[in-house]
mmCIF file of all heavy atoms in Angstrom:
data_model
loop_
_atom_site.group_PDB
_atom_site.id
_atom_site.type_symbol
_atom_site.label_atom_id
_atom_site.label_comp_id
_atom_site.label_asym_id
_atom_site.label_seq_id
_atom_site.Cartn_x
_atom_site.Cartn_y
_atom_site.Cartn_z
ATOM 1 N N PRO A 43 -13.737 7.871 0.524
ATOM 2 C CA PRO A 43 -13.361 8.864 1.544
ATOM 3 C C PRO A 43 -13.872 8.455 2.918
ATOM 4 O O PRO A 43 -15.018 8.005 3.047
ATOM 5 C CB PRO A 43 -14.056 10.144 1.062
ATOM 6 C CG PRO A 43 -15.128 9.716 0.137
ATOM 7 C CD PRO A 43 -14.864 8.316 -0.311
ATOM 8 N N THR A 44 -13.043 8.601 3.948
ATOM 9 C CA THR A 44 -13.469 8.275 5.309
ATOM 10 C C THR A 44 -12.892 9.308 6.288
ATOM 11 O O THR A 44 -11.984 10.067 5.939
ATOM 12 C CB THR A 44 -12.962 6.886 5.787
ATOM 13 O OG1 THR A 44 -11.610 7.024 6.264
ATOM 14 C CG2 THR A 44 -13.017 5.846 4.697
ATOM 15 N N MET A 45 -13.412 9.236 7.518
ATOM 16 C CA MET A 45 -12.831 10.051 8.586
ATOM 17 C C MET A 45 -12.046 9.167 9.556
ATOM 18 O O MET A 45 -11.741 9.579 10.679
ATOM 19 C CB MET A 45 -13.927 10.830 9.307
ATOM 20 C CG MET A 45 -14.614 11.817 8.364
ATOM 21 S SD MET A 45 -15.282 13.263 9.175
ATOM 22 C CE MET A 45 -16.490 12.523 10.231
ATOM 23 N N GLY A 46 -11.747 7.949 9.143
ATOM 24 C CA GLY A 46 -10.916 7.078 9.974
ATOM 25 C C GLY A 46 -11.682 6.348 11.051
ATOM 26 O O GLY A 46 -12.918 6.272 11.004
ATOM 27 N N HIS A 49 -13.941 0.572 10.510
ATOM 28 C CA HIS A 49 -14.624 -0.649 10.951
ATOM 29 C C HIS A 49 -15.017 -1.438 9.708
ATOM 30 O O HIS A 49 -14.706 -1.032 8.571
ATOM 31 C CB HIS A 49 -15.821 -0.294 11.824
ATOM 32 C CG HIS A 49 -16.727 0.740 11.224
ATOM 33 N ND1 HIS A 49 -17.436 0.529 10.065
ATOM 34 C CD2 HIS A 49 -16.987 2.028 11.577
ATOM 35 C CE1 HIS A 49 -18.134 1.601 9.767
ATOM 36 N NE2 HIS A 49 -17.864 2.547 10.657
ATOM 37 N N GLY A 51 -17.683 -1.674 8.139
ATOM 38 C CA GLY A 51 -18.455 -0.914 7.153
ATOM 39 C C GLY A 51 -17.534 -0.252 6.139
ATOM 40 O O GLY A 51 -17.706 -0.381 4.921
ATOM 41 N N HIS A 52 -16.523 0.443 6.649
ATOM 42 C CA HIS A 52 -15.555 1.078 5.751
ATOM 43 C C HIS A 52 -14.866 0.022 4.889
ATOM 44 O O HIS A 52 -14.649 0.225 3.690
ATOM 45 C CB HIS A 52 -14.474 1.805 6.561
ATOM 46 C CG HIS A 52 -14.977 2.940 7.401
ATOM 47 N ND1 HIS A 52 -14.940 2.909 8.769
ATOM 48 C CD2 HIS A 52 -15.504 4.146 7.064
ATOM 49 C CE1 HIS A 52 -15.422 4.041 9.247
ATOM 50 N NE2 HIS A 52 -15.776 4.808 8.240
ATOM 51 N N SER A 54 -15.937 -2.773 3.880
ATOM 52 C CA SER A 54 -16.802 -3.297 2.815
ATOM 53 C C SER A 54 -16.785 -2.343 1.610
ATOM 54 O O SER A 54 -16.868 -2.778 0.466
ATOM 55 C CB SER A 54 -18.231 -3.512 3.318
ATOM 56 O OG SER A 54 -18.919 -2.287 3.405
ATOM 57 N N LEU A 55 -16.666 -1.039 1.885
ATOM 58 C CA LEU A 55 -16.570 -0.082 0.769
ATOM 59 C C LEU A 55 -15.250 -0.299 0.017
ATOM 60 O O LEU A 55 -15.200 -0.254 -1.211
ATOM 61 C CB LEU A 55 -16.626 1.368 1.259
ATOM 62 C CG LEU A 55 -17.821 1.832 2.095
ATOM 63 C CD1 LEU A 55 -17.829 3.351 2.184
ATOM 64 C CD2 LEU A 55 -19.132 1.368 1.541
ATOM 65 N N TYR A 86 -13.884 13.124 18.246
ATOM 66 C CA TYR A 86 -13.931 12.143 17.153
ATOM 67 C C TYR A 86 -12.708 11.224 17.244
ATOM 68 O O TYR A 86 -11.579 11.707 17.353
ATOM 69 C CB TYR A 86 -13.977 12.845 15.785
ATOM 70 C CG TYR A 86 -14.576 11.924 14.749
ATOM 71 C CD1 TYR A 86 -15.950 11.845 14.591
ATOM 72 C CD2 TYR A 86 -13.769 11.090 13.975
ATOM 73 C CE1 TYR A 86 -16.509 10.966 13.676
ATOM 74 C CE2 TYR A 86 -14.334 10.210 13.069
ATOM 75 C CZ TYR A 86 -15.697 10.156 12.923
ATOM 76 O OH TYR A 86 -16.256 9.276 12.029
ATOM 77 N N ILE A 162 -17.091 5.708 -3.893
ATOM 78 C CA ILE A 162 -17.874 4.688 -3.183
ATOM 79 C C ILE A 162 -18.292 5.240 -1.821
ATOM 80 O O ILE A 162 -17.442 5.651 -1.026
ATOM 81 C CB ILE A 162 -17.044 3.398 -2.963
ATOM 82 C CG1 ILE A 162 -16.215 3.061 -4.200
ATOM 83 C CG2 ILE A 162 -17.928 2.255 -2.498
ATOM 84 C CD1 ILE A 162 -16.781 2.114 -5.169
ATOM 85 N N MET A 163 -19.608 5.250 -1.563
ATOM 86 C CA MET A 163 -20.111 5.758 -0.281
ATOM 87 C C MET A 163 -21.118 4.770 0.308
ATOM 88 O O MET A 163 -21.631 3.901 -0.389
ATOM 89 C CB MET A 163 -20.758 7.136 -0.462
ATOM 90 C CG MET A 163 -19.802 8.158 -1.049
ATOM 91 S SD MET A 163 -20.442 9.828 -1.069
ATOM 92 C CE MET A 163 -19.945 10.406 0.538
ATOM 93 N N GLY A 164 -21.404 4.929 1.602
ATOM 94 C CA GLY A 164 -22.276 3.990 2.285
ATOM 95 C C GLY A 164 -23.717 4.471 2.370
ATOM 96 O O GLY A 164 -23.977 5.665 2.552
ATOM 97 N N LYS A 166 -25.499 3.931 4.804
ATOM 98 C CA LYS A 166 -25.658 4.321 6.219
ATOM 99 C C LYS A 166 -25.942 5.827 6.350
ATOM 100 O O LYS A 166 -26.740 6.250 7.164
ATOM 101 C CB LYS A 166 -24.373 3.941 6.966
ATOM 102 C CG LYS A 166 -24.062 4.714 8.202
ATOM 103 C CD LYS A 166 -24.661 4.060 9.394
ATOM 104 C CE LYS A 166 -24.363 4.725 10.712
ATOM 105 N NZ LYS A 166 -23.539 5.887 10.734
ATOM 106 N N ASP A 167 -25.242 6.630 5.509
ATOM 107 C CA ASP A 167 -25.455 8.085 5.542
ATOM 108 C C ASP A 167 -26.322 8.455 4.333
ATOM 109 O O ASP A 167 -25.821 8.961 3.327
ATOM 110 C CB ASP A 167 -24.108 8.798 5.520
ATOM 111 C CG ASP A 167 -23.283 8.446 6.739
ATOM 112 O OD1 ASP A 167 -23.455 9.092 7.778
ATOM 113 O OD2 ASP A 167 -22.490 7.485 6.676
ATOM 114 N N GLN A 170 -26.498 12.027 3.101
ATOM 115 C CA GLN A 170 -25.169 12.420 2.606
ATOM 116 C C GLN A 170 -24.965 11.985 1.156
ATOM 117 O O GLN A 170 -24.617 12.786 0.292
ATOM 118 C CB GLN A 170 -24.099 11.791 3.502
ATOM 119 C CG GLN A 170 -22.686 11.899 2.971
ATOM 120 C CD GLN A 170 -21.659 11.497 4.023
ATOM 121 O OE1 GLN A 170 -21.398 12.244 4.940
ATOM 122 N NE2 GLN A 170 -21.080 10.328 3.890
ATOM 123 N N ALA A 191 -24.260 -1.158 0.716
ATOM 124 C CA ALA A 191 -25.213 -1.454 1.798
ATOM 125 C C ALA A 191 -24.585 -1.224 3.178
ATOM 126 O O ALA A 191 -23.361 -1.311 3.335
ATOM 127 C CB ALA A 191 -25.672 -2.899 1.687
ATOM 128 N N THR A 192 -25.434 -0.963 4.162
ATOM 129 C CA THR A 192 -24.967 -0.733 5.544
ATOM 130 C C THR A 192 -24.528 -2.048 6.187
ATOM 131 O O THR A 192 -25.262 -3.036 6.146
ATOM 132 C CB THR A 192 -26.118 -0.121 6.369
ATOM 133 O OG1 THR A 192 -26.529 1.090 5.720
ATOM 134 C CG2 THR A 192 -25.681 0.184 7.797
ATOM 135 N N VAL A 193 -23.348 -2.026 6.783
ATOM 136 C CA VAL A 193 -22.866 -3.201 7.519
ATOM 137 C C VAL A 193 -23.259 -3.022 8.987
ATOM 138 O O VAL A 193 -23.080 -1.940 9.558
ATOM 139 C CB VAL A 193 -21.337 -3.346 7.375
ATOM 140 C CG1 VAL A 193 -20.828 -4.535 8.181
ATOM 141 C CG2 VAL A 193 -20.968 -3.512 5.905
ATOM 142 N N ALA A 200 -26.064 -0.406 13.356
ATOM 143 C CA ALA A 200 -25.237 -0.035 12.205
ATOM 144 C C ALA A 200 -23.832 0.305 12.688
ATOM 145 O O ALA A 200 -23.676 1.040 13.674
ATOM 146 C CB ALA A 200 -25.852 1.171 11.497
ATOM 147 N N MET A 201 -22.827 -0.259 12.037
ATOM 148 C CA MET A 201 -21.456 0.059 12.455
ATOM 149 C C MET A 201 -21.188 1.536 12.229
ATOM 150 O O MET A 201 -21.617 2.113 11.236
ATOM 151 C CB MET A 201 -20.470 -0.791 11.669
ATOM 152 C CG MET A 201 -20.522 -2.226 12.090
ATOM 153 S SD MET A 201 -19.118 -3.131 11.455
ATOM 154 C CE MET A 201 -19.550 -4.764 12.026
ATOM 155 N N SER A 203 -18.077 4.713 13.547
ATOM 156 C CA SER A 203 -16.911 5.061 14.365
ATOM 157 C C SER A 203 -17.370 5.588 15.722
ATOM 158 O O SER A 203 -16.668 5.467 16.718
ATOM 159 C CB SER A 203 -16.068 6.112 13.658
ATOM 160 O OG SER A 203 -15.759 5.664 12.357
HETATM 161 P P1 AMP B 21 -17.207 8.174 7.873
HETATM 162 O O1 AMP B 21 -15.811 7.719 8.159
HETATM 163 O O2 AMP B 21 -18.154 7.935 8.989
HETATM 164 O O3 AMP B 21 -17.259 9.550 7.299
HETATM 165 O O4 AMP B 21 -17.739 7.206 6.724
HETATM 166 C C1 AMP B 21 -17.035 7.035 5.520
HETATM 167 C C2 AMP B 21 -17.904 6.254 4.569
HETATM 168 O O5 AMP B 21 -18.211 4.980 5.137
HETATM 169 C C3 AMP B 21 -19.247 6.932 4.263
HETATM 170 O O6 AMP B 21 -19.532 6.791 2.890
HETATM 171 C C4 AMP B 21 -20.199 6.161 5.125
HETATM 172 O O7 AMP B 21 -21.512 6.153 4.626
HETATM 173 C C5 AMP B 21 -19.598 4.763 5.075
HETATM 174 N N1 AMP B 21 -20.044 3.970 6.222
HETATM 175 C C6 AMP B 21 -20.027 4.347 7.526
HETATM 176 N N2 AMP B 21 -20.572 3.374 8.279
HETATM 177 C C7 AMP B 21 -20.926 2.366 7.443
HETATM 178 C C8 AMP B 21 -21.547 1.082 7.624
HETATM 179 N N3 AMP B 21 -21.903 0.640 8.820
HETATM 180 N N4 AMP B 21 -21.752 0.312 6.527
HETATM 181 C C9 AMP B 21 -21.393 0.758 5.293
HETATM 182 N N5 AMP B 21 -20.812 1.956 5.061
HETATM 183 C C10 AMP B 21 -20.582 2.750 6.119
#
Side-chain angles (χ1 to χ4, degrees):
T44 83
M45 297 208 297
H49 50 64
H52 297 114
S54 77
L55 304 193
Y86 203 85
I162 319 265
M163 302 188 88
K166 155 90 178 359
D167 298 274
Q170 169 169 285
T192 302
V193 178
M201 289 193 184
S203 307

